[in-house]
Amino acid sequence: MRPTFPRLVASTAAAGMLLAGCSAPATPDGSSGGATLVVATSDEPDALNPVLNYGVDGASLIFDGLVSRDDDNQLVAGLATALPQLSPDGRTVTAKLRDGVQFHDGTALTAQDVVFTYQAVLDPTVDSTLRSDLDMVESVTAPDAATVMFRLRYPYAPFLQRLTLGIVPAKLLSGQDINTAGFNRKPIGTGPYRVESWTPGDRLVLTANERYFGGRPKNDRVVVAFVADDNVRAQRMRAGEFDAAELPPKLASGFDADATYRVQRVPTADYRGVMLPTGDPVLADPAVRRALNLAVDRSAMVSGLLGGAGEPAFGPIPPTSEFADPSIVGKPTADPTAAGALLDAAGWTPGAGGVRVKDGRPARFTLMYPASDTLRKDLALAVTADAKKIGVEVTPAGLTWDAIDPRMKSDALLMGYGTPYDPDFVSYKLFGSTFAGQGYFNPGSYRSEVTDRALQEGRDQIDPALRKAAYAQFQKQLATDVPWLFLTYLRHTYVLKSSVQGVTPRVEAHEHGVANSLWWNIDTWTRS
């Protein structure tokens, strides 16, 4: 889907703009020395400010949070000396800062910078979609220059995971309109790289932070190229412009036989599915939604469209999660007979051209997808074909995001989301009634008291067993209501030059443009 945390927009990079000029000069032996690495992605941030949703789950390359994640996505200390301490009542969190950490401009990090960052997110005049993620924060204070204290309104089980938010320097943003500040395009952080330049629609150039507390990066510069079109990105990878690029599975598989490259297929919690809006009179019928859920052939999508780089999806919590409920897993292959029986029982009878009809209304709806996304197009066409077999007519529509935005309450949409971190992070907003119709938060206006209660209990309960029970109930209710047709979990596919060393894949979230991609640890990469 078009992500909203962080919210990304598709860019239109000039296909003919070569990045070869960004490569490091050759050493006497003809190698590049690995001084500059060039990676390519499809999505470009609106801003490079964590307060405005950039890199909120860490791995932003430019900023650091109080905590970070290792290659197993486990929390480790970041700007804090150790994982922050939680009080017995679950409502006070205390963090101690590392000594000697500096921002890119040489100024010292203090607790006041942390306080400012979180207060800015909570400021209602700041356009941050993260505010609702932190609605449990009653106050954040700095008892001294090296100590930060969060006081929570109520216990919130995954609060420490919210502390990956990158910290910004208070002195550069105090008294400014953060929504329009120049900082958003030329930020100053504490991370392994500082921003050298950002050319919208083309590239972001980062240079090594010589003073990085975690150790200077092993390379001098990183160029992130923004190339929205999948085919163009593949062509430019083949032309040697990039050291690494994310590509759809079909395009990536074309590099398998070439020893110059290697294809990395990374496990993810990133799912694709069809959001079914309650505002559409056909999709408002639970029988239609359940029939479609039986009709889609997930196995065929994984084998044919993903080239095996994925697995069938039946819900928003990945099978690898400790919170996944195996009871919701259905048949990965289509069952058109059972789907047809559901529609017959609900009064949807065959009509002209094989399209079912009920009370004079034909069983048809529009399925939107972003036109530049080849995988979503393929998935939309597969859903269209499967639905036709049970008498439901789907009209696929490849559109720009600007055209999609106003139609989400009434037209279905091929979306993507998913997190390997905590189930609360995405699902609370995506399926909670409180967020119904708020842009990409629950765009189909799904409402369920059972779902709302389960989601609330999942975030309220500290006991892991109680949390697991709550999320099991949540998954069961979604499987009953079918507000989405969950189709596939992806493996994010990347093509790299074989000379690139130091790559460490980890389970990825849906959001993985500049941040949280295969290059989350690019500061350790070299080129042989």
Side-chain angles (χ1 to χ4, degrees):
M1 61 145 294
R2 185 188 196 179
T4 40
F5 30 89
R7 184 174 180 265
L8 302 175
V9 296
S11 64
T12 54
M17 176 84 66
L18 296 180
L19 290 175
C22 293
S23 299
T27 57
D29 64 1
S31 69
S32 67
T36 296
L37 290 165
V38 184
V39 299
T41 187
S42 62
D43 293 316
E44 182 173 9
D46 285 340
L48 295 175
N49 187 340
V51 173
L52 299 179
N53 322 323
Y54 170 71
V56 295
D57 285 320
S60 73
L61 306 183
I62 306 165
F63 298 91
D64 297 294
L66 291 173
V67 301
S68 183
R69 289 190 173 90
D70 63 15
D71 53 8
D72 290 322
N73 282 323
Q74 297 301 305
L75 290 184
V76 294
L79 294 176
T81 57
L83 292 183
Q85 296 298 305
L86 184 66
S87 64
D89 67 356
R91 293 187 56 200
T92 301
V93 177
T94 305
K96 293 287 186 178
L97 298 185
R98 293 176 184 267
D99 291 333
V101 177
Q102 296 181 0
F103 285 102
H104 296 152
D105 62 358
T107 59
L109 170 80
T110 72
Q112 192 54 48
D113 297 305
V114 181
V115 171
F116 175 86
T117 299
Y118 281 86
Q119 287 181 341
V121 171
L122 296 170
D123 183 346
T125 67
V126 175
D127 296 332
S128 178
T129 58
L130 304 177
R131 189 169 305 110
S132 57
D133 293 341
L134 297 174
D135 59 6
M136 75 296 297
V137 176
E138 182 176 86
S139 65
V140 52
T141 57
D144 58 58
T147 306
V148 181
M149 292 186 66
F150 297 87
R151 181 64 178 167
L152 308 185
R153 293 188 175 90
Y154 49 83
Y156 174 66
F159 184 71
L160 291 191
Q161 296 195 57
R162 294 295 188 192
L163 301 183
T164 57
L165 177 65
I167 302 304
V168 301
K171 74 167 191 174
L172 295 183
L173 285 168
S174 294
Q176 293 195 43
D177 180 354
I178 293 177
N179 302 318
T180 59
F183 180 94
N184 301 337
R185 303 204 70 82
K186 190 73 182 289
I188 300 294
T190 61
Y193 295 98
R194 58 183 179 83
V195 175
E196 178 181 313
S197 63
W198 181 8
T199 306
D202 182 16
R203 70 183 75 175
L204 172 68
V205 181
L206 306 174
T207 55
N209 176 7
E210 302 286 346
R211 294 185 293 262
Y212 187 50
F213 69 87
R216 185 196 186 282
K218 292 184 177 180
N219 43 73
D220 296 331
R221 297 168 85 225
V222 168
V223 178
V224 182
F226 303 117
V227 186
D229 187 278
D230 295 333
N231 290 301
V232 172
R233 201 160 58 257
Q235 291 165 6
R236 295 175 66 182
M237 184 72 205
R238 182 74 71 182
E241 293 186 47
F242 310 134
D243 292 293
E246 184 192 7
L247 292 173
K250 278 187 175 180
L251 291 174
S253 64
F255 291 80
D256 275 319
D258 190 334
T260 309
Y261 304 95
R262 71 178 185 272
V263 179
Q264 196 88 47
R265 295 173 173 88
V266 181
T268 80
D270 185 8
Y271 53 81
R272 294 292 178 271
V274 179
M275 179 277 295
L276 303 174
T278 58
D280 179 276
V282 173
L283 296 174
D285 187 338
V288 174
R289 302 196 302 270
R290 291 167 187 157
L292 289 168
N293 200 37
L294 292 170
V296 292
D297 193 336
R298 296 169 173 86
S299 286
M301 294 175 185
V302 170
S303 61
L305 303 182
L306 301 183
E311 59 186 317
F314 296 94
I317 298 179
T320 53
S321 170
E322 63 179 308
F323 296 101
D325 182 4
S327 73
I328 68 162
V329 176
K331 291 176 58 178
T333 54
D335 191 344
T337 301
L342 273 178
L343 293 173
D344 289 339
W348 290 94
T349 58
V355 179
R356 291 177 180 266
V357 178
K358 180 179 181 180
D359 299 330
R361 184 186 302 279
R364 62 168 59 105
F365 64 92
T366 297
L367 172 54
M368 304 182 294
Y369 63 88
S372 64
D373 191 318
T374 57
L375 176 58
R376 294 194 205 191
K377 177 182 178 180
D378 289 345
L379 289 169
L381 294 177
V383 170
T384 299
D386 289 341
K388 184 178 181 180
K389 296 174 183 176
I390 63 168
V392 177
E393 182 180 320
V394 177
T395 302
L399 304 170
T400 65
W401 284 113
D402 287 340
I404 288 170
D405 282 358
R407 295 174 53 174
M408 291 188 296
K409 293 182 180 180
S410 57
D411 289 326
L413 175 61
L414 204 306
M415 297 179 70
Y417 257 135
T419 176
Y421 312 130
D422 194 275
D424 177 76
F425 280 18
V426 170
S427 291
Y428 187 76
K429 290 181 175 181
L430 194 56
F431 300 104
S433 298
T434 302
F435 300 94
Q438 294 186 25
Y440 289 86
F441 297 158
N442 194 352
S445 298
Y446 167 64
R447 290 179 171 86
S448 164
E449 291 183 4
V450 174
T451 295
D452 288 347
R453 185 165 56 253
L455 288 172
Q456 192 63 48
E457 290 176 356
R459 58 174 19 203
D460 289 347
Q461 301 291 345
I462 301 298
D463 186 333
L466 295 177
R467 297 195 76 210
K468 190 170 183 177
Y471 285 118
Q473 181 63 61
F474 160 65
Q475 292 166 84
K476 288 182 173 72
Q477 194 61 41
L478 283 193
T480 298
D481 296 339
V482 195
W484 275 52
L485 300 178
F486 294 97
L487 302 176
T488 63
Y489 277 97
L490 308 184
R491 284 184 179 264
H492 292 161
T493 48
Y494 300 87
V495 176
L496 301 95
K497 289 182 178 177
S498 296
S499 58
V500 174
Q501 306 296 321
V503 179
T504 308
R506 64 180 181 182
V507 178
E508 294 182 357
H510 171 69
E511 310 289 1
H512 61 289
V514 174
N516 283 335
S517 294
L518 183 64
W519 38 84
W520 67 276
N521 70 331
I522 199 169
D523 56 306
T524 69
W525 289 19
T526 58
R527 195 167 50 218
S528 59

